[in-house]
Structures are given as structure tokens and as C-alpha cells.
């Protein structure tokens, strides 16, 4: 299997030797991506390059020894592929020891099968071996490179078995470590005298760094005289560490860029953690820290599945942590709101707005009455569309009913990890029961998460630790948080929510326009940053309170979404239509993409422009967004969907004024920007530097989640 798989992965046409591909990592990636596309393995070389550049911008793929492994999952890739270049001019890829002259680009389709991913991860692990990289540097023909890869991958897959990712050790690289990785209950006295370290490695794509970090840590532990076992949580099959092995471990190392799966298994163990790149670049330091932590009673420990803020974010102050907790809750809440809002809008589209009204004296709305008294084989007099509209409306309403509970549950999750979810959901449900609304959900989630985190830190007996995250923490945290909400805080918070609702319902005329202006300014101020997300979170959290008689929350959502669409649309208009010569070529290319990003309500489409020229782009964006927010609120435009832009037109009330508001703000913002570019001089900077600056900014757009995240 391996040789055949390798032939599909790489061919001589994908190999280049002693070539100059440019001065930057992006230059090299673009050439290799085009090389992949030229062989028919990717539909669009530019799209593949963009995906790989975004991945590179988040964490450099350079590793010690002059090696770089840019990689990406991309929808444009049709089959897993390797492209290789030995560079005549070294290029920086972010390695700590210097630039790279050997580059393997790994291109993987979104749905790559496990066997291919196993082969790719095996190759990535081989690249930290000096004998393999020396052979790559000594090869004289492209076919020699192909043969080297085939022999390496074939031998590894035959030795380890395709899909087996349980051990980080390799026969050639760490024979003694592999021997020590046998029976977890070994009675060998000499082996047991050594410190035992267990670890987890994981990176976002799970293709290269996950496995390279594992091998590097195993080798470092061997050099330090310790026994190391690593669970690679990558794209290949994950085989969890033996619980008996975890139980006898002296310390834990997490080299991860994503959440550790089933973290509670390691509860109470001394912990050293860092990004996966550190596992590749500084494995000896991480192992030394783990050995010291094993002998230090005051060392940081895995908190029984509780929050990781103390160990993974030591420099985070309380304000940053609070923002992260709240935005995590909003992020996880959005799918409930999005699905519910769109289904309700679909229900109105199919059955009309009367579906939400009460049916006679039945005490039920028309949707519930229809679903209770009719079926698909016994349709109501209004017909099939009406019946399906009733179903969509009811499902959407149930989905929105989870809004506050999900908000509270995932705020608590952000604070205390999985043990906080149940207390948070219960506290959020109590907030709904007390009519405390989303504000009660915020408070309940914070209390539940804090209680779960605090209980998880209480020292306890080893035999009790297994019950902590699944029984004890959820039980007592629920009692604390829900008890406080029910007996003490729920009433006052409900009063505050009543006053807030009354104030919002009273908004009209100038006050509503002023609110629209403020929301528009916030949405354009930092384009997906904290201020933008505060305005967005305010709008989304209020959706659950909207109804046929209280449309203000829907109006706020419409104003926020429309204003957030303006900056990228305005930059697209200015750079591709009104004033092309005032923008660099990379900016004009970004402007083409910004049309779709703006129409989809992704404010980050304006970031490349703002990064290159913030003092003119941001003020212009804010002016246009404020105009849009004011028009939207004045016209009473509503949105039952929290995201989607123009593509959720059926969820928009007064759709034509929604479009007018967006067009007005876009034109105003674009004209202001053109005026500023013509008549307000920026600090002198040469055209090439400006283009490079914009290009770098463009590559970072993928690092920030869309505004709904």
C-alpha cells in the first residue's frame, strides 16, 4: 500500500532542486502551490496558496535544521500531495535557528482519508532526522527525492502499521524509548527508577507539527534519562494513552495549539504546557521543566478537567480573561440563535406572520395548534406550505429557547472546562425561569464557572479525583450558582431586564437614530476586534427577547449587521471602481474579494486595507457605518438572523431599506476614503513597502474568526 500511496503523493514534476523561489515564505508557497495545480492535483493554485499562507501566518512552519513544512487543508486540493523544493537562497519560515533551504509543502483536501494522513505525518516526523534531511540535500535529481520519500514512508508504514499513531517513538530514532514504551506495568527496577512523563501533542491541522513535536519530546526525554509516552491528537487515528500509564506518570507535557481531548484523565499531575511549535523547537527545555515539576509540590497541575487559564495563559489579566469567557459563551450560543432565527423567518415566509398569533381561545399560538391537530397526512385547510411553516416556526422557537442556557453553559465552560457546562446550563435555565433574560445568563454562567473552577482546585484524595469532574463539581457548582440565581440574584436582575426592555421599546425618532449611529461606529472601529464584538454580542444576546410585539431587538440586529457590512464593501468600491490608482496591486486584489466578504457580513475583509493605512481607512469606515446604522434604525429594518448579510434576505424585514442603508453607507465611506487619500497626505512610504505591508496584512485575515465567532 505504501509505495502506491507515495506515488500518488509525489512525482518528479513536483520536485525542484537548487532554485530561487523568492525572498519570503509566501513567495515559496505560491510557487509550490502553482506546481501542485499544474499537475492537476489542485483546481486553483492561488486558493491553495492562500490557505497555506494563512496557516503559515498563525505559526511558522520552520523547524530546526533548515527545514520548512508549509501545509494546509484546502478545498481546492483534489488528492493529498507533496511538493518539494531545495532552495538556492534560504528563506525565513520562523525556525529559531535560522532560515530554511529544504521545503516540503503538504497539500491535503478537506476530506483526506486516514491512510494518506498517516503517511504524511510519518514523512513529517522523518524530517527532523539528520540522516533523512542530509540525503535530501545530497540528491542530484528530482527522481532521487521521490525515491527517498517512497523508501522512508514505505518503511515507516510497514513497521508501524497505517493508522497507528499511539506511539511517538520510531525504531530508528529512539530504540530505547520504544523498549521502555512496552508494558505499562513493567517491574524492571531500573526502568521504574526513571521519571515517567506522559504528553499530548496537537496542532490545528494535525498533519505535521503534531507528530514532529511528539518525536522531538521523546528524543529529548531519552537524552534526559526519562521515559516518555506521547498521545498524538492529530489527523491520523488517535489511540489514547493507557490509563495505567497515566496513573504512574510523574508529570504531563502538553504541546498543543488546540484543546486537549479528555483532559480530565490527567487530573492532579504536574503540568508543563506550551504551543506545539515549542515542542519542536525546545523539546529539551520542556522535558527539563517537566522533570523539575515532578519534584515540586507547588508546580502547576492539571486541574481535574477545570480551567486552564492559570497554566496556559499566565500573562492574561482579569479583564482579558473576562472578555474571553463572555465571547466564548456568545460564540457557542450563536448556532442556536442562527438556526432558530432563520427557521422562524422561514416559518413566516411559508405561513405568514399570523403563525405566531394565538389561535382563538385555545391558549396556543397557531403553530402549536396546527402541529397538535394536523399531520402530513391530515393537512390543515391552509395547505402543506402552512403546515411546514408551522413546523419551521416551532423548531426555531425551541432552538431560541436554548439561547440563555447555552450562553451561561459555555461561559462556565470557558472558565472551568467541561465540569462547568452542566452548572452553567442549569443556572441559565433558572435565569429564564426568573425572567432574568440574557443578563441573568451572563451572571449565572460566571458564577457557575467560578464555582466549578474553585471546587476543582480543592485538594482531595486520589480515589476521589475520578468522580470530581463528572459528579462532585457539577453537583455542588449547580447548587451554588442556581441557588444564588433562584434565591438572591434572579429577582433584581429580572427587574433590571424589565427596565432595559422598557427603555429599548421606548426608543423612537432621534434616540433610535443615535443608537444606530453608536452601533455603527462600534462595528467599524476595529473590524472584528473587541469593540466590534461587544456591539455584535449585544445584538445577538437580545434576539431571544424579540417577538411580534417587541421588534426592537430585531432592529438592533439589523443595524449591527448592515453597519458591519459597510467597511469591506466600501473598500471594495474605492479600490476596484472609484480610485484604483490610489491603491497598490495587492490592495486591488483584496478589494475584489472584499465584495463577497462584505455581502456576507464579514467585517474582517477590510483588515488588509486598515493595516496598511489605518489613519484614513478606519475613520472613513466609521463614518459610513454610522450612516448605515442610523438609516437602518430610522427605517425600522429588522433581522431575525444574526449573520449571513444579504444572503439571509428572507430573514430581513423591510429588505429594501436594508439595502438602501448599506448602499448609502458604502458610498459615503468610499467617497470619504477617496477624499482622504487625495487630500490628506500619509507619512512617506515607498510603493513597494506599502504593497508588501498590505500583502502581509492580507495573509493575516484568516487568523481572525468572522465576526459571528
Amino acid at each position: 500500500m505504501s509505495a502506491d500511496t507515495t506515488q500518488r503523493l509525489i512525482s518528479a514534476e513536483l520536485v525542484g532542486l537548487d532554485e530561487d523561489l523568492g525572498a519570503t515564505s509566501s513567495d515559496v508557497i505560491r510557487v509550490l502551490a502553482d506546481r501542485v495545480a499544474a499537475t492537476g492535483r489542485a483546481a486553483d493554485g492561488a486558493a491553495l496558496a492562500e490557505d497555506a499562507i494563512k496557516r503559515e501566518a498563525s505559526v511558522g512552519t520552520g523547524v530546526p535544521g533548515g527545514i520548512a513544512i508549509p501545509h494546509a487543508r484546502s478545498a481546492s486540493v483534489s488528492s493529498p500531495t507533496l511538493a518539494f523544493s531545495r532552495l538556492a537562497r534560504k528563506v525565513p519560515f520562523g525556525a529559531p535557528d535560522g532560515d530554511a533551504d529544504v521545503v516540503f509543502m503538504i497539500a491535503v483536501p478537506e476530506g483526506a482519508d486516514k491512510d494518506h494522513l498517516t503517511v504524511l505525518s510519518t514523512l513529517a516526523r522523518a524530517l527532523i532526522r539528520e540522516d533523512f534531511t542530509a540525503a535530501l540535500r545530497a540528491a542530484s535529481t528530482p527522481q532521487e527525492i521521490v525515491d527517498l520519500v517512497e523508501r522512508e514512508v514505505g518503511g515507516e508504514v510497514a513497521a508501524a502499521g497505517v493508522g497507528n499513531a499511539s506511539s511517538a517513538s520510531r525504531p530508528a530514532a529512539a530504540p530505547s524509548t520504544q523498549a521502555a514504551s512496552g508494558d505499562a506495568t513493567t517491574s524492571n527496577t531500573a526502568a521504574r527508577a526513571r521519571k515517567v512523563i506522559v504528553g499530548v501533542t496537537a496542532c490545528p491541522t494535525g498533519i505535521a507539527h503534531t507528530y514532529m513535536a511528539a518525536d522531538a519530546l521523546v528524543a529529548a526525554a531519552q537524552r534526559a534519562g526519562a521515559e516518555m509516552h506521547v498521545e498524538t491528537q492529530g489527523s491520523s487515528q488517535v489511540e489514547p494513552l493507557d490509563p495505567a500509564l497515566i496513573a504512574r506518570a510523574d508529570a504531563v507535557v502538553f504541546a498543543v495549539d488546540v484543546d486537549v481531548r479528555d483532559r480530565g484523565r490527567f487530573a492532579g499531575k504536574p503540568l508543563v504546557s506550551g504551543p506545539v511549535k515549542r515542542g519542536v523547537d525546545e523539546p529539551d527545555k520542556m522535558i527539563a521543566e517537566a522533570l523539575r515539576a515532578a519534584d515540586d509540590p507547588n508546580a502547576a497541575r492539571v486541574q481535574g478537567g477545570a480551567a486552564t487559564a492559570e497554566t496556559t495563559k499566565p500573562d492574561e489579566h482579569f479583564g482579558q480573561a473576562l472578555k474571553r469567557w463572555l465571547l466564548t459563551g456568545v460564540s457557542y450560543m450563536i448556532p442556536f440563535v442562527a438556526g432558530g432565527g432563520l427557521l422562524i423567518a422561514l416559518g413566516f415566509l411559508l405561513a405568514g406572520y399570523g403563525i405566531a398569533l394565538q389561535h382563538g381561545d385555545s391558549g396556543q399560538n397557531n403553530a402549536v395548534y396546527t402541529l397538535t391537530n394536523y399531520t402530513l397526512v391530515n393537512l390543515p385547510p391552509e395547505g402543506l406550505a402552512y403546515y411546514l411553516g408551522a413546523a419551521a416556526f416551532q423548531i426555531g422557537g425551541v432552538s431560541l429557547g436554548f439561547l440563555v442556557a447555552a450562553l451561561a453553559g459555555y461561559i462556565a465552560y470557558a472558565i472551568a472546562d467541561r465540569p462547568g457546562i452542566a452548572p452553567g446550563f442549569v443556572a441559565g435555565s433558572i435565569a429564564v425561569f426568573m425572567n432574568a433574560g440574557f443578563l441573568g445568563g451572563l451572571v449565572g454562567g460566571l458564577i457557575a464557572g467560578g464555582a466549578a473552577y474553585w471546587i476543582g482546585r480543592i485538594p482531595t484524595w486520589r480515589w476521589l479525583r475520578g468522580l470530581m469532574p463528572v459528579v462532585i463539581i457539577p453537583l455542588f457548582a449547580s447548587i451554588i450558582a442556581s441557588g444564588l440565581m433562584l434565591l438572591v440574584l434572579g429577582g433584581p436582575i429580572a427587574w433590571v431586564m424589565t427596565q432595559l426592555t422598557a427603555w429599548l421599546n421606548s426608543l423612537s425618532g432621534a434616540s433610535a437614530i443615535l443608537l444606530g449611529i453608536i452601533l455603527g461606529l462600534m462595528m467599524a472601529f476595529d473590524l472584528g476586534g473587541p469593540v466590534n464584538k461587544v456591539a455584535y454580542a449585544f445584538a445577538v444576546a437580545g434576539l431571544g427577547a424579540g417577538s411580534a410585539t417587541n421588534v426592537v431587538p430585531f432592529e438592533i440586529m439589523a443595524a449591527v449587521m448592515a453597519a458591519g457590512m459597510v467597511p469591506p464593501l466600501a473598500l471594495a468600491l474605492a479600490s476596484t471602481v472609484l480610485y484604483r490608482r490610489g491603491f497598490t496591486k495587492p490592495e486591488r486584489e483584496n478589494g475584489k474579494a472584499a465584495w463577497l466578504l462584505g455581502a456576507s457580513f464579514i467585517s474582517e475583509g477590510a483588515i488588509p486595507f486598515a493595516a496598511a493605512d489605518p489613519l484614513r481607512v478606519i475613520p472613513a469606515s466609521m463614518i459610513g457605518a454610522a450612516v448605515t446604522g442610523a438609516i437602518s434604525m430610522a427605517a425600522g429594518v429588522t433581522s431575525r438572523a444574526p449573520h449571513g448579510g444579504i444572503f439571509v434576505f428572507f430573514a430581513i424585514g423591510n429588505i429594501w431599506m436594508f439595502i438602501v442603508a448599506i448602499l448609502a453607507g458604502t458610498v459615503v465611506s468610499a467617497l470619504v476614503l477617496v477624499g482622504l487619500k487625495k487630500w490628506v497626505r500619509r507619512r512617506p512610504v515607498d510603493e513597494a513597502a506599502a504593497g508588501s505591508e498590505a500583502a502581509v496584512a492580507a495573509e493575516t485575515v484568516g487568523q481572525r474568526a468572522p465576526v459571528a465567532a
Side-chain angles (χ1 to χ4, degrees), residues 63-86:
V63 297
I67 312 295
I69 317 172
H71 53 276
R73 294 177 184 268
S74 177
S76 65
V77 178
S78 56
S79 61
T81 302
L82 298 172
F84 175 85
S85 178
R86 193 170 65 202

Side-chain angles (χ1 to χ4, degrees), residues 297-338:
N298 297 317
R301 294 176 181 269
V302 183
Q303 297 294 334
T308 63
E310 181 179 29
T311 55
T312 61
K313 300 181 182 295
D315 299 326
E316 185 179 56
H317 59 68
F318 179 75
Q320 291 174 321
L322 179 62
K323 181 184 74 174
R324 177 170 56 83
W325 299 335
L326 297 180
L327 290 180
T328 297
V330 171
S331 176
Y332 279 99
M333 176 190 73
I334 284 172
F336 293 95
V337 182

